[in-house]
Amino acid sequence: MFDTKKILILGAGLMQKPAILGAKHLGYKAVVVDANKNAVAVPLADEFYPVDLKDRESLLELAKKLNKKGELKGVFTAGTDFSASVSFVAENLGLPAHSFEAALNASDKARMRACFEKEGVPSPKFIEIDENAHAELVSKSDIEFPKVVKPCDNMGGRGCRLVRNQDEFQTSVTTAIKNSRTNRAIFEDYMEGAEFSIDSVVYNGTLTITGFADRHIFYPPYFIEMGHSLPSRVDSKIKNELIATFALGIKALGLTCGVAKADIKYTKKGPMIGEIAARLSGGYMSGWTFPYSSGMNLTEEAMKIAVGQEPDYLLSNRVSLPWQPHESVKNKAQPFELYEISSTLVSAERAWLSIPGVVSNIYGLSEVKQIYGVRDVLPRVKIGDKVDFPRNNVEKCGNVIAVGINSEQAYKSAEEAISSITLRLEPNNPDTEKFLRGESEPDEKGFPPSAFTFSPNSESSVNVGEGTKIPAGQKTIGYIPETLIPLADSLKDWNHCTLRKTLEKFDEICPDHAELDGKTFWSAILRGGIQGALYIADNIES
């Protein structure tokens, strides 16, 4: 009976929506828990309980109540930090999942790195630091930079950054520790190389790759993912070497029953693992882009394992992969039979950003849904929200997902959509002013970057348009400075918008502008794109 089977789902955010819908589609009641009773997916739950996801004992107590008549069949999460909470509850109730010990290995970056080091799996050399230990590191003069610092137990890039020199060390470590639930961080070597995301299913001694994507990371000293593209366009030899290293990492952590995802790089020394998590990926990959590209509902297949069913679709549609390890791990035994679910279409997810300020209006959200190939437009901010140039992947303003028969088509649709969305900011804002002046914090040299190649701090751009005026109500495209004319269609900002399109958008949004000082206007555009241009015009009006 429908009402006698339940799945406990941890998290009620957007990333957990596919899991809640998947549970219902499989014939289970979705019992959802989240500390935030106003989370976006709460209305989709059959039952909801406000429980902190890191409070394992309370989760177990609730699970036992749900299971009094044997009704609870599984525990599940996707896109959260709390796979260890899932395994804790499942292990105590005898439900299918990775062991609690293995889930802890995959949740705590220090434990994870130690497991890799013990088993000889390539990953960065590291040390663990806490509030007391990092002080002595500050005084050391033999540290070779760059390094990376990150919290031991957080996701989404929060508190994670590149440390380029000694001057950036103190604030970087303090921020990382503040973003850790256990006040601990790791300080590790920086991996230089192309980055990839891998989703997989671990089942009965087999490993099935269920998504292999290129990650598009920008804006040092932070690691901001501006999107991912699936399937990857990487060479098949490199791909197989990355998968082999991933498989060895999964074995080193002890993951045996469920799912695993990796952030992994291909460096000059070969594959190196950034991290492996015992959950499905966030960032729209497992619940959106991979199902679009492959036709398989990954969330439902993973959920079948969590309730003790066979993932029949996955087993029927996977193809065998060769074991082709890189030279660095060629002496390691193959830990799993390797398989893959192939993609027939290309999915492209892209993010849009904002300069600092407060949102006064948003343009283009409805229109971009009509662009050919666009499947989803997923805003994260609304009018009245404070925005900033992101320092982690939670602070982006929204995402677009497009699908095409090839990379060119999918990428073009996604980037056209992103370039057509505009956030207008309130005038007279000190954060916006500071950004447009090109100021940065002492430990963030060069960040945030300018919208276009030029910067107000460089002589080549600070004098653009000097001594000129744009008359009130006139189209700005007709007054573009001579030095910028050859670049009008080649320069693109963070949101894939060319200089020409930026001016066209300004002329459409702000046709009745007052007279504009050329030097001020063009400097604002080069620094802040369409947002800078609108801000200058709005400041005059205010």
Side-chain angles (χ1 to χ4, degrees):
M1 292 289 291
F2 175 82
D3 60 357
T4 62
K5 298 191 299 181
K6 297 179 180 180
I7 298 178
L8 181 62
I9 297 172
L10 274 60
L14 181 60
M15 292 298 129
Q16 291 78 57
K17 180 179 177 181
I20 297 171
L21 296 179
K24 293 169 179 281
H25 187 252
L26 292 174
Y28 294 82
K29 273 192 171 182
V31 182
V32 182
V33 292
D34 198 301
N36 179 12
K37 63 182 180 181
N38 297 314
V40 65
V42 168
L44 299 174
D46 293 306
E47 297 178 28
F48 174 77
Y49 298 92
V51 182
D52 190 329
L53 302 186
K54 65 178 178 288
D55 186 350
R56 295 170 189 152
E57 294 296 341
S58 293
L59 290 170
L60 178 58
E61 183 182 349
L62 172 63
K64 287 179 177 178
K65 290 178 181 177
L66 296 171
N67 199 40
K68 279 187 176 179
K69 298 180 181 179
E71 296 177 346
L72 186 62
K73 303 302 181 183
V75 191
F76 193 81
T77 194
T80 76
D81 289 327
F82 301 104
S83 57
S85 295
V86 168
S87 289
F88 178 79
V89 174
E91 191 170 281
N92 274 278
L93 295 183
L95 298 171
H98 297 303
S99 72
F100 178 51
E101 188 73 14
L104 287 175
N105 291 340
S107 300
D108 185 288
K109 293 180 178 64
R111 288 182 62 139
M112 185 187 304
R113 290 283 187 271
C115 290
F116 294 156
E117 190 172 69
K118 179 181 178 183
E119 298 299 324
V121 179
S123 67
K125 292 182 179 179
F126 79 103
I127 58 172
E128 181 181 344
I129 48 181
D130 59 23
E131 290 175 311
N132 300 317
H134 81 270
E136 65 181 73
L137 269 177
V138 177
S139 61
K140 285 190 174 182
S141 58
D142 59 347
I143 299 175
E144 293 186 9
F145 294 97
K147 288 284 194 285
V148 174
V149 64
K150 59 181 72 171
C152 282
D153 49 4
N154 212 330
M155 60 180 289
R158 286 167 286 195
C160 178
R161 64 161 284 175
L162 188 68
V163 184
R164 296 167 292 188
N165 52 58
Q166 191 78 29
D167 293 338
E168 296 181 349
F169 180 85
Q170 181 72 57
T171 54
S172 301
V173 172
T174 300
T175 300
I177 289 173
K178 284 181 178 178
N179 277 274
S180 166
R181 291 187 295 275
T182 54
N183 296 317
R184 296 156 48 246
I186 55 174
F187 187 62
E188 64 183 21
D189 290 345
Y190 171 62
M191 299 181 291
E192 180 72 47
E195 188 163 352
F196 307 89
S197 284
I198 311 177
D199 266 326
S200 72
V201 172
V202 188
Y203 181 71
N204 283 354
T206 68
L207 176 66
T208 304
I209 304 303
T210 53
F212 192 109
D214 296 323
R215 298 185 79 198
H216 309 299
I217 309 294
F218 296 92
Y219 311 127
Y222 301 99
F223 303 98
I224 308 303
E225 184 173 0
M226 291 302 293
H228 69 268
S229 304
L230 191 154
S232 168
R233 295 197 287 188
V234 72
D235 174 81
S236 61
K237 177 179 179 294
I238 292 176
K239 178 181 175 182
N240 289 334
E241 290 177 357
L242 287 159
I243 289 171
T245 301
F246 175 42
L248 292 168
I250 291 172
K251 181 186 178 185
L253 297 178
L255 302 173
T256 59
C257 180
V259 296
K261 64 89 58 178
D263 296 333
I264 189 168
K265 283 189 172 186
Y266 199 88
T267 72
K268 62 183 179 181
K269 296 181 180 180
M272 294 192 77
I273 297 174
E275 64 178 72
I276 293 176
R279 56 170 174 80
L280 291 178
S281 59
Y284 304 102
M285 182 168 158
S286 63
W288 284 262
T289 57
F290 179 70
Y292 289 155
S293 70
S294 68
M296 187 184 89
N297 189 318
L298 173 56
T299 305
E300 289 189 13
E301 294 303 293
M303 195 170 279
K304 289 175 185 176
I305 295 174
V307 297
Q309 294 183 20
E310 190 173 84
D312 49 350
Y313 184 97
L314 178 140
L315 297 178
S316 301
N317 290 277
R318 64 187 186 177
V319 295
S320 181
L321 284 177
W323 176 253
Q324 293 181 334
H326 183 264
E327 216 32 50
S328 59
V329 293
K330 67 178 182 179
N331 62 327
K332 302 289 183 183
Q334 181 176 345
F336 301 99
E337 293 179 36
L338 295 182
Y339 299 90
E340 182 179 29
I341 297 293
S342 300
S343 291
T344 55
L345 297 174
V346 176
S347 292
E349 176 265 317
R350 299 291 184 267
W352 73 86
L353 309 180
S354 173
I355 67 175
V358 176
V359 179
S360 66
N361 212 333
I362 302 175
Y363 306 97
L365 290 179
S366 299
E367 290 80 358
V368 299
K369 294 177 183 177
Q370 309 307 314
I371 293 174
Y372 179 78
V374 171
R375 293 286 185 93
D376 298 285
V377 180
L378 302 157
R380 298 175 63 95
V381 299
K382 61 186 183 301
I383 293 172
D385 283 354
K386 184 178 180 180
V387 289
D388 200 352
F389 201 93
R391 289 169 173 80
N392 58 59
N393 289 316
V394 180
E395 295 177 342
K396 294 177 289 191
C397 292
N399 306 75
V400 163
I401 299 171
V403 179
I405 59 173
N406 54 44
S407 298
E408 182 182 11
Q409 186 184 89
Y411 297 4
K412 180 180 178 181
S413 296
E415 290 168 12
E416 181 184 349
I418 292 293
S419 71
S420 301
I421 297 168
T422 303
L423 271 63
R424 194 173 192 166
L425 302 179
E426 292 180 358
N428 302 313
N429 184 289
D431 293 330
T432 312
E433 299 278 355
K434 180 180 178 180
F435 174 86
L436 293 178
R437 288 194 299 268
E439 296 179 14
S440 61
E441 298 300 321
D443 66 328
E444 293 182 332
K445 187 176 180 180
F447 181 90
S450 291
F452 294 104
T453 311
F454 297 91
S455 162
N457 294 330
S458 69
E459 192 174 330
S460 58
S461 69
V462 73
N463 295 320
V464 171
E466 186 172 23
T468 66
K469 300 287 184 183
I470 301 174
Q474 293 294 302
K475 290 185 179 296
T476 57
I477 192 72
Y479 291 84
I480 185 169
E482 186 175 345
T483 56
L484 297 180
I485 291 175
L487 305 172
D489 297 303
S490 58
L491 284 181
K492 290 187 177 181
D493 68 8
W494 329 280
N495 295 325
H496 309 284
C497 193
T498 64
L499 183 57
R500 184 181 302 280
K501 185 168 184 177
T502 297
L503 297 174
E504 290 171 349
K505 288 206 289 185
F506 179 86
D507 291 338
E508 180 181 349
I509 293 171
C510 201
D512 300 321
H513 63 81
E515 182 181 75
L516 301 168
D517 174 74
K519 181 179 178 180
T520 303
F521 181 76
W522 295 110
S523 177
I525 278 194
L526 294 173
R527 176 63 175 156
I530 181 62
Q531 291 182 296
L534 291 170
Y535 182 82
I536 292 300
D538 290 345
N539 265 11
I540 296 172
E541 291 298 324
S542 68

